[in-house]
Amino acid sequence: MRFAVSIIFALILSGCASTSSVQFSPSQHYAISVQSNLFDAVRIVKNDITLFNDGKALGFIRIEPIPSDAPSTSELINTLRSASDSESVETEALELYPGFKGFSAKVRGYQTGYLINEKNPSSMLIFSFPEGYFESVAKTISSGI
C-alpha cells in the first residue's frame, strides 16, 4: 500500500513540475516560445499575436515589415533605440541568439523587444511581456519553423 501511495505521489509531483511551452512562428524567419501556463487564450490578427490570461492581455508577438530602402540592420536598430531612449524608458541591447540584432525597452512594468534576423532583414520581430516573463520568453527566440 505504501509503495502505491509513493508512486501516486511521485506522479502528482512530476505532473505539477512540468510546464510545456507553445511555440509561435509568426513568419518563416522567427519563432518564439511561451510557457503554456502563462496564457489561456490567443488572438491572431494578420501579423499580430496577442496572448491573454483570464481575459486580460498578457503580451504580444508581432512582425513588422522593414522597407527595402531602410538603412542597414545596425543603423536601423541604433536609430530606433535612440528614438526610444528617454528618462522614463530604459533600453538595453538584446544579444540572445546568434544572427539576431536588437534591443529592448522597459516601460511601466513591461519590456518590449525589437529584433531583426540579420540573414533575412525584411521584417522585425516585436514582442512585449511583463518584465518578470520577458527574459524567459526572449531566450527562446530562433529562426522560424
Side-chain angles (χ1 to χ4, degrees):
M1 176 75 175
R2 191 160 59 155
F3 181 71
V5 170
S6 297
I7 290 175
I8 291 172
F9 186 74
L11 288 172
I12 290 171
L13 284 179
S14 66
C16 295
S18 70
T19 302
S20 62
S21 292
V22 176
Q23 187 174 46
F24 297 94
S25 188
S27 82
Q28 63 187 14
H29 306 299
Y30 300 97
I32 187 169
S33 296
V34 181
Q35 291 178 348
S36 62
N37 65 336
L38 297 181
F39 64 97
D40 56 19
V42 177
R43 180 176 56 214
I44 302 171
V45 179
K46 291 187 181 183
N47 63 342
D48 186 44
I49 300 168
T50 305
L51 305 175
F52 294 86
N53 188 358
D54 200 23
K56 296 178 183 175
L58 169 72
F60 69 82
I61 302 164
R62 179 179 302 144
I63 295 294
E64 288 293 332
I66 296 175
S68 58
D69 62 344
S72 72
T73 302
S74 294
E75 288 178 69
L76 180 59
I77 291 296
N78 289 338
T79 301
L80 290 172
R81 186 174 179 184
S82 293
S84 299
D85 217 358
S86 71
E87 285 184 23
S88 61
V89 179
E90 177 187 338
T91 65
E92 62 185 48
L94 281 180
E95 297 176 15
L96 304 165
Y97 188 79
F100 289 85
K101 187 157 187 81
F103 72 98
S104 71
K106 294 179 184 179
V107 179
R108 287 174 268 179
Y110 273 79
Q111 193 166 354
T112 303
Y114 302 85
L115 275 180
I116 297 176
N117 184 331
E118 293 181 297
K119 291 181 183 175
N120 299 290
S122 61
S123 63
M124 176 181 291
L125 174 68
I126 303 170
F127 60 103
S128 186
F129 288 90
E131 285 184 52
Y133 302 122
F134 181 85
E135 188 173 327
S136 66
V137 172
K139 70 181 181 180
T140 69
I141 293 172
S142 65
S143 296
I145 54 175

